Amino acid sequence: MAVTKLTKAGEEFIRSKCNGSGNSKLRGSAADKKGYSDNPTAVLPYCSPLTTTSKIWLSNPDINSGIRTNDELGEALIKLYNKYAEIYQMDANIMAAQAYQESAYIVWNYAVNSTASGISQFTAGTIYGIVIVDKYNEFTDNERKAITKNTIDYTFESGKTPPKNKFVVQFSTGKKNRAILHQNIIDNPEIMIKAQFVYMKKISTKCNGLASCTLFGYSRGPGYVKSSSYSDAIAAAKGAGNSYENEGIIYVYRIFKNLYDNFGYKHLDITKEAAEKFDKFNATLG
């Protein structure tokens, strides 16, 4: 695959969304989010104890090269998406459009009804496997230490597999570490952007780099990607029942629509007909 750096339109889109001398992309609280019936106060879920509605989440500027404003974040994101596109030979525009769909470039972001956190909205289980365990051998000890910093009942040791129960919220210690893990994630957006590239690259090897399949696998699970056919991935997800495939279809369409509208990808077919035929979403990751 060949690297594709951000288009000028893509750079301007990122700047437009990370705009101004304020820090709303770096700092926020439950008051900035919408609650749901199972979490009406919109606090960080699956914590023990629960965080309060007044809790302020702030990405540490001392860790992030002094990034203190939305403007500074936007310039950093442009560099980071291009940097990792070069390293992993992928399309920075697709990755940046995906990140916008995930978090709107809000570094402190979290889902109020799952364990998804940060700019790439990785769940605790995915962070555990991709970054903390480093099952694809892509992360340094320092990067893994940064994501596990200050966690309860765990100290990073190089060469040793971290226990799952310290980080996944099905376990009591995982719930105790939930807020700590979230803080580490938002303190290190570069690591999470790298993780996005690592995971997408891995999924893409199952479908010859077809972006639609890869994005669908990121949303619904890589196990549904078995060939270089988006239609096949959707059919596999339909087998899960409860219209499980629909969220993935919407997810992929929104990212491609963003690429068309804001990244200069006017060659993409995003008509209703293409949405129904699926495999016309044929951009590759690089």
Side-chain angles (χ1 to χ4, degrees):
M1 293 184 182
V3 62
T4 304
K5 293 196 172 184
L6 289 170
T7 60
K8 292 297 183 185
E11 290 183 1
E12 290 310 308
F13 175 75
I14 292 173
R15 290 188 179 106
S16 73
K17 297 302 178 181
C18 301
N19 181 44
S21 58
N23 65 351
S24 59
K25 299 287 185 181
L26 301 161
R27 180 184 187 277
S29 71
D32 300 301
K33 301 188 69 66
K34 178 183 177 183
Y36 290 89
S37 58
D38 57 347
N39 184 6
T41 60
V43 295
L44 185 75
Y46 303 106
C47 294
S48 180
L50 285 174
T51 57
T52 66
T53 55
S54 60
K55 167 68 177 176
I56 300 295
W57 297 103
L58 175 64
S59 179
N60 191 330
D62 294 332
I63 294 173
N64 293 307
S65 304
I67 297 171
R68 288 176 167 79
T69 69
N70 294 340
D71 281 338
E72 290 170 347
L73 174 64
E75 295 306 317
L77 292 181
I78 290 167
K79 291 177 182 177
L80 290 172
Y81 287 115
N82 282 333
K83 172 184 174 178
Y84 287 104
E86 184 77 42
I87 291 171
Y88 290 103
Q89 294 293 287
M90 295 169 74
D91 187 323
N93 299 281
I94 293 173
M95 302 301 284
Q98 179 189 26
Y100 184 74
Q101 175 64 31
E102 290 288 346
S103 66
Y105 306 137
I106 299 171
V107 172
W108 65 270
N109 207 357
Y110 60 84
V112 301
N113 56 357
S114 80
T115 61
S117 285
I119 194 165
S120 304
Q121 289 291 283
F122 270 34
T123 64
T126 305
I127 292 163
Y128 172 75
I130 303 297
V131 183
I132 297 173
V133 172
D134 189 26
K135 65 181 181 179
Y136 301 131
N137 298 310
E138 294 287 346
F139 292 89
T140 67
D141 282 356
N142 284 339
E143 288 170 328
R144 296 166 69 201
K145 284 179 184 177
I147 296 298
T148 59
K149 180 182 176 182
N150 295 328
T151 45
I152 296 166
D153 293 338
Y154 175 73
T155 302
F156 178 84
E157 293 183 69
S158 181
K160 291 190 177 182
T161 301
K164 189 174 184 178
N165 66 338
K166 307 301 182 184
F167 303 99
V168 179
V169 298
Q170 284 87 341
F171 304 95
S172 59
T173 306
K175 286 185 174 68
K176 292 177 183 177
N177 280 325
R178 168 76 172 121
I180 298 168
L181 183 62
H182 178 67
Q183 185 65 55
N184 291 341
I185 289 163
I186 70 173
D187 280 347
N188 293 277
E190 179 171 359
I191 295 175
M192 298 315 301
I193 290 170
K194 177 180 175 179
Q196 177 196 359
F197 274 84
V198 168
Y199 193 34
M200 285 282 284
K201 184 74 171 184
K202 185 65 178 179
I203 299 170
S204 76
T205 62
K206 304 174 72 174
C207 57
N208 295 325
L210 189 67
S212 52
C213 281
T214 307
L215 290 164
F216 189 84
Y218 190 101
S219 170
R220 300 289 78 190
Y224 296 112
V225 181
K226 303 179 187 297
S227 70
S228 56
S229 166
Y230 185 28
S231 299
D232 287 350
I234 291 168
K238 282 183 178 179
N242 297 319
S243 300
Y244 186 70
E245 75 283 359
N246 286 344
E247 186 174 334
I249 292 168
I250 293 168
Y251 179 81
V252 173
Y253 181 78
R254 285 176 176 169
I255 292 168
F256 272 63
K257 185 71 161 58
N258 191 7
L259 287 165
Y260 182 89
D261 289 342
N262 300 305
F263 286 78
Y265 276 42
K266 298 300 185 184
H267 59 284
L268 295 178
D269 189 345
I270 58 164
T271 63
K272 181 179 178 182
E273 179 187 8
E276 291 169 348
K277 291 184 177 179
F278 301 127
D279 284 315
K280 284 192 175 184
F281 288 140
N282 60 358
T284 59
L285 278 167

